[in-house]
Amino acid sequence: MPIATPEQYAEMLDRAKSTGFAYPAFNVSSSQTINAVLQGLTEAGSDGIIQVTTGGADYFAGHTVKNRAAGALAFAAFAHEVAKNYPITVALHTDHCPKDALDGFVMPLIAASEERVKDGGNPIFQSHMWDGSAVPLDENLEIAKEILPRIKAINAILEVEIGVVGGEEDGVSHDINEHLYTTLDDAIATVEALGLGDEGRYMAALTFGNVHGVYKPGNVKLKPELLGEIQAGLAAKYGTDSKPLDLVFHGGSGSTDEEISTAVANGVIKMNIDTDTQYAYTRAVAGHMFSNWDSVLKIDGEVGNKKLYDPRAWGKVAETAMAARVTDATRQLGSYGQSQS
């Protein structure tokens, strides 16, 4: 199916929240990983979100070039074309964009969508993230407040991070400490600055101990019940329904089913997945190479086996392995079999 229209994307998110599931949002960095996500979502009968970080966009542009805006547009162009061949609907999103990357990443992409919308089309990306977790909350929200009207004008959605996700992802890193837990006061400040949808729709990545990457059990203390407490506090203050904010779960690799279920029950409608799919992809490549070492290498005067060292041979193996992890994610989040395409 074609990439989701703004109306379809809004309907996807509304349905997830009202039904009680979340969409997996997969980070990609190549045409192969895009295809793996589309394959996995199709096998799961699930719609979903495909996203790119600044580092992923740099790689799409060519690792010696690092023109992230051009790389993001190339990613979107490829995704828009190949998605037509699959019977599910996906939205495109740009992930973590810190302050020093705004002018070279999100802002040029918004400008490109503004031109597209001016000509009667849809935005190139359906949502963009501004990651202000490295700056004081007041500055974080002030920048979000400046971006939101432009996002609303192209009928897209803004994602903000309120609190700090520990660990590191594509150069955005934070310590693991008490700042990993968003407070009700933080959430109130967010609503005071951005409203509750009247100034433009946004999703909030409230933090509850989240950490990017994979850590051994016991090293990360997730408190997804905190999301419910914050939602209840906002509902009481503003007289809204029980879950006024659309929430995003970052740093979820290795989370238990119970932690994920609790987060979704408290209003999470989008969960980012990167580390687990990276491992699934690379583990399959490693398996192919180790199992066929005497065919992918030219050893003892032999010429190897072109059918096994052809990048398409191990690429298909890797895509299928990553697709399986994509399908697993839809089961964890409840979007399995929920496609309305």
Side-chain angles (χ1 to χ4, degrees), residues 161-288:
E161 185 167 311
I162 307 302
V164 172
V165 176
E168 188 272 338
E169 182 172 27
D170 272 342
V172 179
S173 61
H174 297 291
D175 293 334
I176 300 174
N177 55 36
E178 70 279 2
H179 297 297
L180 302 185
Y181 302 94
T182 304
T183 67
L184 176 58
D185 285 343
D186 295 336
I188 290 172
T190 301
V191 173
E192 291 296 315
L194 305 180
L196 284 168
D198 45 311
E199 302 297 326
R201 187 167 186 174
Y202 65 93
M203 297 180 282
L206 305 185
T207 58
F208 51 98
N210 320 55
V211 176
H212 286 130
V214 174
Y215 295 81
K216 291 182 179 179
N219 285 359
V220 176
K221 305 293 185 183
L222 289 182
K223 300 179 181 178
E225 64 277 6
L226 177 65
L227 301 179
E229 295 168 8
I230 291 174
Q231 294 273 42
L234 292 176
K237 181 175 179 62
Y238 296 102
T240 66
D241 62 29
S242 61
K243 292 180 281 191
L245 291 182
D246 296 334
L247 301 181
V248 181
F249 188 163
H250 285 226
S253 296
S255 300
T256 66
D257 288 345
E258 182 180 359
E259 289 166 339
I260 292 172
S261 177
T262 301
V264 171
N266 287 324
V268 164
I269 57 174
K270 172 180 179 279
M271 178 173 169
N272 291 6
I273 299 170
D274 187 15
T275 303
D276 287 350
T277 45
Q278 286 179 337
Y279 180 78
Y281 185 94
T282 302
R283 177 64 182 82
V285 175
H288 177 87

Side-chain angles (χ1 to χ4, degrees), residues 26 36 48 74 95 104 113 143 166-167 182 199 204 218 237 255 279 290 304 328 332:
F26 300 99
D95 199 12
S113 282
I143 292 173
T182 304
E199 302 297 326
K237 181 175 179 62
S255 300
Y279 180 78
F290 284 130
D328 286 345
Q332 286 181 298

Side-chain angles (χ1 to χ4, degrees), residues 47-64:
D47 300 326
I49 300 165
I50 305 179
Q51 57 190 27
V52 66
T53 60
T54 54
D58 282 339
Y59 192 75
F60 269 110
H63 73 276
T64 62

Side-chain angles (χ1 to χ4, degrees), residues 154-165:
I154 58 173
N155 208 4
I157 295 171
L158 179 66
E159 181 180 330
V160 295
E161 185 167 311
I162 307 302
V164 172
V165 176

